[in-house]
Amino acid sequence: MAIRWSAARWGKLIVFAGLLLESAALQAGTLPSSEVTPARYWVLLRNKAGMHFNPATYFAAPAQLRRQRQGLPAADSTDFPVRPDFVRQIRAVADSVTLVSRWFNAVACRATPAQAARLRMLPGVVSVEQWEQSSLQLASQAGTIERGSMTITADDRQLARRQTASLGGPALRQARLEGQGLRIAIFDVGFIGTVRHPAFAQLIGEKRLVATYDFVRKGPNVFVGGTHGTEVLSCLAGLLPDGTALGLAPKAEFLLARTERLTREIYAEEEAWLAAAEWADRNGADIINSSLGYTDRRYFPEQMNGRTSLVARAAAMAVRKGILVVNAAGNDGEDPDWPTIGTPADADSVLTVGGLDPDTNLHIDFSSYGPSADRRLKPNVMAFGTVLAAAPGGYVRTQGTSFASPLLAGFAACAWQQNRSLTVMQLFERLQASADLYPYFDYAHGYGLPQAAALLRPAGEVRSKRPTVDFVHQDTVLAILIRPEAAIIPAQVLPLYSDSATVVRAAQQVPAVGREELAPPLSRQPAPGQALPEPAPMAPVRPMYLYWHVADPQGVLRSYEVREVTQRAVLQIPRRTLRPGDTVRVCYRGITQSYLVP
């Protein structure tokens, strides 16, 4: 009787023979070390034929409801499990398997080059891609285990109030919008001190910490590794002892995922981010907050296009599942080699959040700039980049876009709570449109600081759109003049001309996103034995700045600037710098006006 050999049997025979040959070579000492040291590989599989899947038993009830609300299918092919026979074949060949991804029908593994060659011959494998390797590097430890103090100064309390009031926190609380019914996942380096911290007593007591998982150590304990995640969580749900909220979603539910380690390895964190995203999807997350980013340790700036990195593609897939992904822009704004956003902040459907300076209400120096490598707008919006946050032992002033991101994620939770029928991209657009500069934008501020007033405005109400500037076409310049009726500000009327005033700030370096340190001490210190005076009341409006940019016919900015307004004749643009088809946009006092260059 003839014996029929299947492709799978031939594959196993080839694998077995290869293993024998490699074993013999190792014993003989004929293989170089580069041939026997396992490297990381991404193995893309052919199909999911024959797999069965019941979404009702796989997904948590909130995950099912999220899809129903947004008109998404209960499941699609990316939700189906990976074929176990394919995984078994890979395990039989590779040194180890580190991730099995349903979303991408792929397996991440460690293998030698010889093993990788045999992986490519397996019948279920489409491709085997090696990922760049580098030795482990010790990340900056400064600020990793921050210690707080229960002594809260008047300035600290003022900052705590302003970081939420700047987004309209009091109006949201009055409208009973505090994240109720929303489930938020936080991906971070660790959450030391969270469970016993008084800032989270209400969260823990009401059992709204739904699930935790450490994707580094493969276990449920995320309360290791660092305090950064604790600080980030506090900017969503933390409370001061007097009940002052540090974030805008103190009533939400939370999923905590540890996806980073203090000693970092190329791509391992991105694998953990993807695994956490699939876990968050299954467990019903509405929003993912990722105060993390990856830049020059593994990529080039031209790869920040939202399509190259695994983590950007994972974030985009999460959005396809109806999850809003909110990500910090990064803290590289003062880095001459890489001042722009990292990944996954580069993904087009990720809401990227830059940092705002509480003292000037402008872009904070260290916040990373846009655009993406393919010239899309980034960051999308802003929030305070210096905050008061909870840390083991009490509270700390800290800084970084890591904390702007959760402030905005809490705002997004309130916006979605107000209208649960919105799809994720409808919410994305609404968050951008609620910002105080919209529709003006630039690559430092995005659309600006979102405002609760825009969310709470009655349907059909039309805001005043009265122009605030005039474009005056002169022989050699395009002049921008502030209209007399828009030149009246509290306590003064702007003259037509005056000496310009500038805001001078000392530059300061901030560690990479996810590794932030404490904010510098206050410059205003009391004399020995003297207390600081009570700070002045919060300003009801932002300072009088004029924002302007020049965009080409494709909407890509060629230049942009912010000017402090001290006179009505505020700007003169040389005509020789403008090209036919350019658009000059100006935003003053919340009104955006445009001039098309003929």
Side-chain angles (χ1 to χ4, degrees):
M1 183 178 73
I3 298 176
R4 184 179 181 183
W5 284 79
S6 66
R9 289 190 176 185
W10 279 115
K12 289 180 180 179
L13 181 61
I14 293 169
V15 167
F16 180 69
L19 288 172
L20 289 177
L21 290 172
E22 186 176 279
S23 177
L26 282 170
Q27 292 179 10
T30 58
L31 283 178
S33 60
S34 61
E35 292 295 313
V36 297
T37 302
R40 283 190 175 274
Y41 289 89
W42 181 251
V43 183
L44 185 64
L45 302 177
R46 193 169 300 281
N47 58 53
K48 294 183 177 180
M51 298 308 299
H52 300 283
F53 179 67
N54 183 355
T57 58
Y58 177 76
F59 290 115
Q64 298 174 51
L65 290 173
R66 183 190 69 234
R67 296 181 180 222
Q68 292 171 15
R69 280 193 301 267
Q70 299 186 52
L72 299 172
D76 60 34
S77 62
T78 60
D79 299 310
F80 278 59
V82 176
R83 284 178 53 170
D85 57 328
F86 288 170
V87 178
R88 283 195 299 270
Q89 292 170 18
I90 294 170
R91 289 188 189 277
V93 175
D95 184 78
S96 61
V97 169
T98 56
L99 171 70
V100 178
S101 171
R102 292 183 177 219
W103 283 3
F104 294 109
N105 193 28
V107 173
C109 66
R110 290 180 174 274
T112 65
Q115 291 171 333
R118 295 197 296 278
L119 287 172
R120 293 184 177 94
M121 300 177 67
L122 294 177
V125 170
V126 173
S127 64
V128 178
E129 175 187 356
Q130 183 177 357
W131 282 345
E132 178 185 350
Q133 294 297 297
S134 73
S135 59
L136 291 175
Q137 298 183 21
L138 187 66
S140 172
Q141 300 260 350
T144 300
I145 309 296
E146 292 180 355
R147 304 299 303 181
S149 169
M150 291 304 295
T151 300
I152 303 171
T153 68
D155 286 278
D156 291 337
R157 201 176 305 279
Q158 181 81 326
L159 176 60
R161 291 170 180 163
R162 290 185 63 213
Q163 67 196 43
T164 58
S166 62
L167 295 160
L172 292 173
R173 287 189 287 273
Q174 186 175 5
R176 299 183 182 276
L177 298 174
E178 297 183 277
Q180 294 95 324
L182 274 292
R183 188 166 286 190
I184 303 172
I186 301 177
F187 299 174
D188 219 286
V189 69
F191 300 85
I192 290 177
T194 294
V195 174
R196 294 182 176 84
H197 200 291
F200 307 112
Q202 188 177 98
L203 173 67
I204 303 299
E206 295 175 0
K207 302 187 186 307
R208 287 186 284 107
L209 190 54
V210 176
T212 62
Y213 196 80
D214 183 340
F215 289 89
V216 175
R217 296 186 177 183
K218 313 297 184 187
N221 181 20
V222 298
F223 308 109
V224 295
T227 64
H228 188 267
T230 304
E231 295 160 28
V232 167
L233 175 61
S234 73
C235 291
L236 274 156
L239 301 174
L240 292 182
D242 66 357
T244 298
L246 299 175
L248 294 174
K251 300 294 186 182
E253 296 179 336
F254 291 90
L255 307 167
L256 305 184
R258 182 175 179 238
T259 61
E260 291 213 10
R261 65 188 80 203
L262 296 183
T263 53
R264 297 195 253 177
E265 183 181 4
I266 292 286
Y267 293 112
E269 297 153 329
E270 292 193 57
E271 288 181 21
W273 202 104
L274 169 57
E278 295 191 24
W279 171 81
D281 174 34
R282 181 179 185 180
N283 284 281
D286 296 293
I287 298 170
I288 290 173
N289 180 82
S290 169
S291 289
L292 305 168
Y294 310 105
T295 54
D296 59 347
R297 291 190 65 247
R298 62 193 73 178
Y299 295 111
F300 296 104
E302 58 268 23
Q303 293 177 301
M304 299 294 95
N305 55 22
R307 302 183 304 275
T308 299
S309 75
L310 173 66
V311 72
R313 289 181 282 127
M317 182 69 80
V319 176
R320 280 182 51 188
K321 307 293 183 183
I323 302 171
L324 178 71
V325 179
V326 183
N327 206 95
N331 300 335
D332 299 315
E334 296 176 294
D335 185 340
D337 297 322
W338 190 308
T340 54
I341 58 166
T343 190
D346 61 327
D348 61 352
S349 53
V350 166
L351 192 74
T352 302
V353 186
L356 201 68
D357 188 330
D359 293 329
T360 65
N361 283 285
L362 293 174
H363 167 274
I364 200 165
D365 295 328
F366 58 75
S367 183
S368 295
Y369 295 88
S372 64
D374 53 347
R375 316 306 291 173
R376 285 177 289 101
L377 172 63
K378 292 292 174 181
N380 301 96
V381 289
M382 308 285 283
F384 273 22
T386 300
V387 301
L388 190 72
Y395 300 86
V396 296
R397 273 182 179 248
T398 190
Q399 59 183 354
T401 58
S402 281
F403 312 110
S405 183
L407 287 174
L408 209 289
F411 183 89
C414 296
W416 223 346
Q417 178 190 348
Q418 183 197 38
N419 188 349
R420 293 293 268 151
S421 66
L422 294 174
T423 67
V424 64
M425 291 312 297
Q426 287 173 340
L427 175 66
F428 186 101
E429 295 297 334
R430 188 173 190 195
L431 293 170
Q432 289 190 142
S434 73
D436 61 352
L437 301 181
Y438 186 88
Y440 176 88
F441 64 90
D442 64 37
Y443 299 145
H445 302 89
Y447 287 115
L449 187 69
Q451 296 294 295
L455 299 179
L456 301 174
R457 190 176 296 120
E461 181 180 315
V462 179
R463 292 180 62 193
S464 171
K465 296 289 184 180
R466 297 181 63 182
T468 55
V469 303
D470 288 314
F471 296 93
V472 181
H473 195 274
Q474 299 175 350
D475 288 339
T476 60
V477 298
L478 176 66
I480 311 297
L481 299 180
I482 292 176
R483 292 190 169 194
E485 61 269 26
I488 301 173
I489 59 178
Q492 70 177 109
V493 177
L494 294 175
L496 182 60
Y497 293 100
S498 75
D499 293 332
S500 297
T502 58
V503 178
V504 180
R505 290 172 290 167
Q508 54 183 319
Q509 294 289 337
V510 174
V513 63
R515 310 288 167 180
E516 285 92 347
E517 299 176 349
L518 297 180
L522 293 174
S523 58
R524 186 164 58 101
Q525 298 293 339
Q530 178 183 5
L532 279 172
E534 188 72 21
M538 290 181 287
V541 295
R542 294 175 69 180
M544 291 296 103
Y545 296 121
L546 181 137
Y547 303 75
W548 70 279
H549 73 223
V550 178
D552 68 16
Q554 287 72 46
V556 177
L557 302 191
R558 291 199 288 105
S559 63
Y560 61 92
E561 185 182 50
V562 181
R563 292 202 169 190
E564 183 180 10
V565 175
T566 58
Q567 59 186 38
R568 286 180 48 222
V570 69
L571 178 63
Q572 290 185 331
I573 307 172
R575 288 178 57 190
R576 58 181 170 76
T577 65
L578 302 175
R579 303 170 187 171
D582 281 352
T583 298
V584 179
R585 288 192 184 89
V586 174
C587 180
Y588 181 63
R589 304 193 76 164
I591 304 299
T592 298
Q593 295 170 242
S594 300
Y595 173 86
L596 181 63
V597 179

